[in-house]
Amino acid sequence: MSGLLALGDNHRGTRENVAAFDESKRFRLHNHIFDREPSEAIKPYLERAGFGIVSKINFRSVDSKLVIAMLERWRPETHTFHLPTGECTITLEDINMLFGLRVDGRVVVGDTEGPDYACIDALGIQPFSDRVKGAVKLRWIHDELYDLEKHSQQTEEENILHAKLYILSMIAVLFPDKSHNVLHSSWFKFVKDLDECGKYSWGSACLAYLYREMCKACRVGCMSVAGCSLILAVWTYYRIPQLAPRSEIAPSYPYATR
């Protein structure tokens, strides 16, 4: 088996590297907290776009020590966790059951840089002061969401815009990178048509992205990880219940709401 494990001493999970890990240094999770519940007016649009179920989940902070412990057992060569009881991994079925994301359909793929007009093409509006090259600041998206939520009577056009902004906020949570506070313009094309948005396999894209980021973060010396770390945490709680906090809430779909 040792011949298959290409990282060797560069893996953070070796006995020597685990012993040498400095807990005083901050290990950063590049995840976003998003606990804004969608209004009743936009829920039908979220369902059309494939984000109706996952919008029920509050995306909150995750214990970084739990993430580190799992990364020490992650093997990029096999995309599995090596535990004393055997090997296991996060599957597409887990993603669907825990988060309610679609795991079949079109592939989420495209250019990594969207055009300058991507925002106005998808939303019909464009930020003037909260723009950076090839991206939009999340602060602007959240401010627009807040302004729309204050309107008691929204037109259908406003409801669609509201839903699109909410979905973009969810995308930022499910696909966080190390840019911290911006959303790349390449994502805007996916929300231009909500019905087309609902045909994409968001669950498989989210899982593949998390796999890639864990493969990077399992290297010794890496002090941060992107990807949706909440998926890793919730999966760990359900598959290794000895580590889970106690909850009196009965399980219900999607199970991450527990």
Side-chain angles (χ1 to χ4, degrees), residues 69-212:
M70 296 307 294
L71 288 174
E72 289 174 349
R73 291 154 179 81
W74 176 257
R75 298 306 316 193
E77 301 87 354
T78 57
H79 287 169
T80 56
F81 297 102
H82 285 210
L83 303 174
T85 54
E87 296 182 50
C88 57
T89 194
I90 309 171
T91 66
L92 289 175
E93 182 182 16
D94 292 323
I95 294 295
N96 180 260
M97 295 303 295
L98 294 175
F99 286 81
L101 288 168
R102 180 173 180 173
V103 295
D104 62 339
R106 295 181 183 174
V107 178
V108 180
V109 67
D111 296 332
T112 55
E113 293 292 340
D116 291 336
Y117 59 82
C119 181
I120 195 168
D121 187 44
L123 304 180
I125 58 174
Q126 181 166 283
F128 296 100
S129 59
D130 290 308
R131 292 185 62 188
V132 292
K133 185 178 180 180
V136 172
K137 289 187 178 180
L138 287 173
R139 179 183 62 187
W140 173 77
I141 295 177
H142 294 160
D143 288 345
E144 291 294 321
L145 270 177
Y146 178 74
D147 290 340
L148 287 167
E149 287 171 351
K150 291 191 299 184
H151 296 175
S152 57
Q153 297 293 329
Q154 294 183 6
T155 65
E156 183 178 8
E157 186 176 87
E158 287 177 323
N159 283 332
I160 292 175
L161 173 60
H162 190 172
K164 288 181 177 180
L165 290 168
Y166 192 96
I167 292 169
L168 289 172
S169 297
M170 295 296 299
I171 288 175
V173 169
L174 294 169
F175 299 90
D177 55 28
K178 297 185 179 180
S179 59
H180 307 304
N181 61 348
V182 301
L183 181 67
H184 288 279
S185 55
S186 58
W187 291 108
F188 284 92
K189 67 177 182 180
F190 293 104
V191 301
K192 182 178 180 179
D193 186 317
L194 295 181
D195 292 314
E196 292 299 311
C197 181
K199 297 177 182 178
Y200 284 96
S201 179
W202 291 103
S204 60
C206 189
L207 180 59
Y209 183 65
L210 178 62
Y211 272 16
R212 187 185 73 170

